[in-house]
Every structure is written in structure tokens, then in C-alpha cells.
Amino acid sequence: MAEFGIDSLARQAMFIPQIGHESARLTQLVENLNYHTDRIRAIENASTAGSRWRLLVGRADELASNPERLGNVVYGGRLENGAEGTGDGYSFRERGLIQTTGRSNYAA
């Protein structure tokens, strides 16, 4: 952990709970993205202006219960992922204990 600056008890005490939170208590290593229409609408309505989730307005029915399409919409065209149609958004969705997202972060 020292290699990544997690080199004190205080930093370790912050890092371990963060890992637990990001991975749902070490039970989830891949983002699910299997949302129902009402959940997509709730997230988009709760999101701040400019959020990627705001792009879902009007597409909730199309994206519901379709994790691959939802991932491509939410994560496509950012973090060095290709546009929505490339499939990068779903391929580079959140994974691992810290839920790494995006082609550039996977590479790093």
C-alpha cells in the first residue's frame, strides 16, 4: 500500500472502509447496471444539472433491464471510452474493489 501513498495508519484507516463501501462490503466486483424504469427515472431526477444521468431523460423505457445499453449510454464518450455505439461504456464499467471506471483508468 505504501507504493500508492497509503503509508500511515490514518490513510489505511480511511482506505479499508472506502474499499468496503465501493465493493458493497466486498461482495460486488462488477457494477450491475440492471435498473428498472422507475429507478432510472429516480436517479436522473435526483442528479445535478450536467450529470451523465441527466442524459437518460426520455430514455428510461429503452434502457430499463438492459445493462449493456445503459452502461454504453452512461459511460460512453468519456474516460477515453469510445462513443455510445462502440460498446466501451459497458466494457469499461465499474469493476474491482474500488470500482474503477473507464478505459483510461483501467489502463492506469
Side-chain angles (χ1 to χ4, degrees):
M1 290 200 292
E3 177 184 351
F4 300 102
I6 307 167
D7 52 6
S8 69
L9 288 177
R11 287 180 179 253
Q12 291 170 1
M14 290 182 273
F15 178 73
I16 299 300
Q18 186 65 40
I19 292 295
H21 172 76
E22 296 289 343
S23 64
R25 298 181 183 164
L26 305 176
T27 63
Q28 301 295 316
L29 296 179
V30 179
E31 184 177 19
N32 184 336
L33 292 173
N34 191 20
Y35 295 115
H36 295 288
T37 304
D38 58 339
R39 182 64 181 141
I40 293 171
R41 288 192 178 118
I43 293 170
E44 69 190 18
N45 289 331
S47 298
T48 59
S51 165
R52 296 293 278 187
W53 286 95
R54 286 290 175 153
L55 298 175
L56 306 181
V57 174
R59 295 184 72 181
D61 290 331
E62 166 200 350
L63 301 172
S65 300
N66 191 331
E68 187 168 352
R69 185 170 285 171
L70 180 60
N72 288 328
V73 170
V74 173
Y75 297 123
R78 63 186 198 128
L79 301 169
E80 294 185 20
N81 289 341
E84 180 181 336
T86 66
D88 281 358
Y90 184 75
S91 295
F92 297 102
R93 67 192 181 281
E94 294 180 348
R95 282 199 177 91
L97 293 175
I98 60 170
Q99 297 295 290
T100 301
T101 308
R103 181 184 295 270
S104 60
N105 289 323
Y106 273 46

